[in-house]
Amino acid sequence: MSRRIDANAAAARLREAESILILTHRRPDGDTVGSAAALCRGLRQMGKQAFVFPNEDITPRLGFLLEGLWAEPGFVPGLICAVDIADTTLLTDGAKGFAGRVDLCLDHHPSNVGYARELALEEHAAAAGEVVWAVLRALDASFDLPIWEALYIAVSTDTGCFKFSNTTPLAHRIAADAIEAGVDFHAHNHVFFEAKSKNRFLIEKAMFDKMIFSADGQIACSWLDRPWLDAIGATDDDLDNLSTLTMALEGVACGIILTQNKKDPDYKVSVRTHKPADASRICQGFGGGGHPRAAGCTLSGPPEEAAKRLMAAAAAEIAAC
Amino acid sequence: MSRRIDANAAAARLREAESILILTHRRPDGDTVGSAAALCRGLRQMGKQAFVFPNEDITPRLGFLLEGLWAEPGFVPGLICAVDIADTTLLTDGAKGFAGRVDLCLDHHPSNVGYARELALEEHAAAAGEVVWAVLRALDASFDLPIWEALYIAVSTDTGCFKFSNTTPLAHRIAADAIEAGVDFHAHNHVFFEAKSKNRFLIEKAMFDKMIFSADGQIACSWLDRPWLDAIGATDDDLDNLSTLTMALEGVACGIILTQNKKDPDYKVSVRTHKPADASRICQGFGGGGHPRAAGCTLSGPPEEAAKRLMAAAAAEIAAC
């Protein structure tokens, strides 16, 4: 298990190191990338050799934050620091070799397994970006525009633009300072929270077109077949978080989305609930599991049949609450 | 024209008054209602007789903020204060009689016409709630939970949950303090930014189902017929801001929505553009007008024909840019 340390101690470790390699997680989001970029830039200000380890999953809309910060092959760091990575299973394939060698982890996931030698964990932080902000303050970094931009993206993306229940006062205060520093927050908000790709548009449309309701509108269920997804060229990004959309519908207490797998004909099932219905109880009946509000399982088709079984289980769960 | 004053002077006027009547604007939004609620509660803390003038357009999701604050008939105030009201044309029908008698206006609209005797206007504020916050501070109000709740709703709703370009550092800082004070911000965010009525869901679905694209996907156009809207019982709220949804679609530079009128068979046309295409130029060709990014006009049906004419005009505008 990691030794737990605070942001000041984490800053002290970084100050002692001459060269630092920063790791981000697979399928990188705005928090891991923004945190890495802000930390790397802050360390460079201090004259450190700081680099971010290449992440093969990086997408263009986040990649710009790390331009000029990627480590060259052969870089041998004095300290390896993971940001926003709760477990070594979340390391990218290319970074698997660092699994037993992470010196420091800056994170906000309560589920962090403690794989790093030392861990600065703020369980109530909305984003790892808040921990990085605290470390940079402890390092007396000068918060320039690129650092504020990276921190803004870290806290805004992890809070759904300050909408989700995890939003903290500090996330808002970081945003306030970032805007004051001149970050073009609206351009970022458009990219992350407004713009919708054509495929995403088609997928949402198909999902709502096929949606069926039961239990007096309390259960909503829809599915997406792989041949059609392949035909339009859908990516994983296009399919991200579809099931949460069902929870916006008035009266819906349980939303269920089935998405056919790429490599076999089964359907990946994503279940979302509003309190008190328990999504994990619904999924456990099908060999799956998860959290009370968000859970998953896998079912074989045909999707109409799988939907019926899932909706029956959801109705039973709602009736039992 | 109003005499321009700052928040401190506005606070001084309110301190001098024994009894204050607060006015909100027609079709009230979170900012006018939240501002009125916060101001009214702050003034009552000081022992003032403070009330909000009844607003016949108030909806349940905002009305709770003003419970216990509504003025009784016959209340004769020493000072009349308008919040978030840029012009007397925006007074509710029931409040028209106050048009020439407003002593003080707290606002953030650059378009404020200066109808009040004195005006505390912060043109760069995201919400009138920011001005009220400054006035309450100048009054040494103790910011209790209901005041923070009202201010949170004021700043969050006027910024689209901190997404729009008008978002200010102060809006974020007010939100940070409100969350720290214990405001159940997520419950409010769900109501204002996530929840979607069944009718709204059906309307968005119908709009996207019928949507046609032209100019290589740069123009998106759809329409809604009144018999169908009547059949589902659609309200004006359900139809609010539909055209902005088109602007989220990747590649769309101009979105056009036609909604058939209630009282005649014509279609109200709403046009939205991204820079540089000019929505008002498109609408001027049909006898309408508006702003560069948002404009409107009226056309007779059939909607397919009207859509064709509008899309041709939009294509010409885009080609000319």
Side-chain angles (χ1 to χ4, degrees):
Chain A
M1 282 300 289
S2 303
R3 197 163 80 89
R4 290 287 291 268
I5 60 174
D6 66 10
N8 289 326
R13 296 300 174 275
L14 291 163
R15 196 179 274 117
E16 288 156 15
E18 286 293 306
S19 59
I20 299 106
L21 184 63
I22 300 165
L23 306 180
T24 54
H25 65 68
R26 60 166 60 221
R27 294 197 65 192
D29 59 11
D31 190 21
T32 196
V33 172
S35 293
L39 182 62
C40 191
R41 291 183 187 283
L43 293 169
R44 286 189 179 189
Q45 282 178 358
M46 304 169 66
K48 308 285 184 193
Q49 275 199 293
F51 292 96
V52 178
F53 190 75
N55 187 318
E56 58 267 37
D57 297 341
I58 193 85
T59 53
R61 69 180 193 175
L62 285 170
F64 81 97
L65 284 170
L66 294 171
E67 264 170 41
L69 304 180
W70 297 116
E72 295 288 329
F75 173 62
V76 180
L79 184 145
I80 297 172
C81 176
V83 288
D84 196 41
I85 307 181
D87 193 342
T88 53
T89 56
L90 299 171
L91 291 169
T92 59
D93 289 340
K96 287 288 181 214
F98 296 114
R101 299 161 48 204
V102 179
D103 299 294
L104 176 63
C105 177
L106 310 180
D107 196 14
H108 71 123
H109 293 99
S111 58
N112 192 296
V113 297
Y115 62 90
R117 202 155 53 77
E118 294 188 304
L119 170 64
L121 177 68
E122 273 294 339
E123 285 149 311
H124 298 291
E130 292 187 21
V131 183
V132 170
W133 172 88
V135 169
L136 290 174
R137 269 172 56 113
L139 286 171
D140 273 326
S142 103
F143 285 72
D144 58 14
L145 188 59
I147 287 180
W148 280 125
E149 186 168 48
L151 292 176
Y152 181 82
I153 288 172
V155 299
S156 65
T157 56
D158 252 27
T159 58
C161 206
F162 312 97
K163 196 170 66 185
F164 299 160
S165 56
N166 68 336
T167 307
T168 57
L170 181 55
H172 274 293
R173 290 187 179 120
I174 288 172
D177 289 347
I179 294 173
E180 217 151 59
V183 169
D184 188 356
F185 65 96
H186 185 242
H188 299 309
N189 291 351
H190 180 75
V191 168
F192 292 104
F193 308 111
E194 286 181 339
K196 197 173 275 192
S197 73
K198 276 189 189 128
N199 272 345
R200 176 70 178 199
F201 169 65
L202 291 173
I203 288 166
E204 288 186 9
K205 200 156 106 60
M207 179 182 87
F208 285 122
D209 280 347
K210 279 196 215 164
M211 188 161 282
I212 51 179
F213 294 89
S214 68
D216 217 12
Q218 289 182 92
I219 303 170
C221 182
S222 190
W223 57 88
L224 297 161
D225 299 319
R226 184 55 58 179
W228 179 77
L229 292 172
D230 286 345
I232 65 166
T235 65
D236 285 346
D237 269 357
D238 294 328
L239 293 166
D240 204 29
N241 253 327
L242 277 174
S243 53
T244 59
L245 295 183
T246 61
M247 302 315 292
L249 301 178
E250 184 186 22
V252 169
C254 175
I256 305 169
I257 302 298
L258 297 89
T259 310
Q260 197 166 21
N261 289 338
K262 274 183 205 163
K263 293 175 182 169
D264 63 58
D266 287 350
Y267 285 78
K268 179 174 159 268
V269 179
S270 175
V271 177
R272 294 286 181 279
T273 57
H274 284 308
K275 278 183 191 173
D278 188 322
S280 66
R281 266 206 297 265
I282 296 167
C283 291
Q284 276 160 17
F286 301 96
H291 305 276
R293 301 283 82 73
C297 58
T298 299
L299 264 80
S300 53
E304 293 86 345
E305 290 300 315
K308 263 190 210 161
R309 294 169 62 200
L310 287 158
M311 291 175 89
E317 167 64 20
I318 288 172
C321 284
Chain B
M1 283 299 289
S2 302
R3 198 163 80 91
R4 291 286 291 268
I5 60 175
D6 65 10
N8 291 325
R13 295 301 173 275
L14 291 162
R15 196 178 276 115
E16 288 157 15
E18 287 293 307
S19 60
I20 299 106
L21 184 64
I22 300 165
L23 306 181
T24 54
H25 64 68
R26 60 164 62 219
R27 295 198 63 192
D29 58 12
D31 189 22
T32 197
V33 171
S35 293
L39 182 63
C40 191
R41 290 184 187 283
L43 292 169
R44 286 189 178 189
Q45 281 179 358
M46 304 169 66
K48 307 285 183 193
Q49 275 199 293
F51 292 97
V52 178
F53 189 77
N55 186 318
E56 58 266 36
D57 296 341
I58 194 84
T59 54
R61 69 180 193 176
L62 285 170
F64 81 96
L65 285 170
L66 294 172
E67 264 171 41
L69 304 180
W70 296 117
E72 296 288 330
F75 174 61
V76 180
L79 184 145
I80 298 172
C81 176
V83 288
D84 196 41
I85 307 180
D87 194 342
T88 51
T89 56
L90 299 171
L91 291 169
T92 59
D93 289 341
K96 287 289 180 213
F98 297 113
R101 298 162 47 204
V102 179
D103 298 294
L104 176 63
C105 176
L106 310 180
D107 195 15
H108 71 121
H109 293 98
S111 58
N112 191 297
V113 297
Y115 61 90
R117 202 153 52 78
E118 294 188 303
L119 170 64
L121 177 69
E122 273 293 341
E123 284 149 311
H124 298 291
E130 293 187 20
V131 183
V132 169
W133 173 88
V135 168
L136 289 174
R137 269 173 57 112
L139 286 171
D140 273 326
S142 103
F143 284 72
D144 57 15
L145 189 58
I147 287 180
W148 280 124
E149 186 169 49
L151 291 176
Y152 181 82
I153 287 173
V155 299
S156 65
T157 55
D158 251 28
T159 58
C161 206
F162 312 97
K163 197 169 67 185
F164 299 159
S165 57
N166 68 336
T167 307
T168 57
L170 181 55
H172 274 293
R173 291 188 178 117
I174 288 171
D177 290 346
I179 294 173
E180 217 152 58
V183 169
D184 187 356
F185 65 95
H186 185 242
H188 299 309
N189 291 351
H190 180 74
V191 168
F192 290 105
F193 308 112
E194 286 182 339
K196 198 174 277 192
S197 74
K198 277 190 188 127
N199 272 345
R200 177 69 178 198
F201 169 65
L202 292 173
I203 288 165
E204 288 186 10
K205 200 155 105 60
M207 179 182 87
F208 285 123
D209 280 348
K210 279 197 215 163
M211 189 162 281
I212 50 179
F213 293 89
S214 68
D216 217 12
Q218 290 181 91
I219 303 171
C221 182
S222 190
W223 58 89
L224 297 162
D225 298 319
R226 184 55 57 178
W228 180 77
L229 292 172
D230 286 344
I232 65 167
T235 64
D236 285 346
D237 270 356
D238 294 328
L239 294 166
D240 204 30
N241 254 327
L242 278 174
S243 53
T244 59
L245 296 182
T246 62
M247 301 315 292
L249 301 178
E250 185 187 22
V252 169
C254 176
I256 304 169
I257 303 298
L258 297 87
T259 311
Q260 197 166 20
N261 289 337
K262 276 184 205 162
K263 293 176 183 169
D264 63 58
D266 288 349
Y267 286 78
K268 179 173 159 268
V269 179
S270 174
V271 177
R272 293 287 182 278
T273 58
H274 284 307
K275 280 185 189 171
D278 188 322
S280 65
R281 267 205 297 266
I282 296 168
C283 290
Q284 276 159 19
F286 301 96
H291 304 278
R293 303 282 82 73
C297 57
T298 300
L299 264 80
S300 53
E304 295 85 345
E305 290 302 314
K308 262 189 208 162
R309 293 168 62 199
L310 286 158
M311 291 175 88
E317 167 63 20
I318 288 172
C321 285

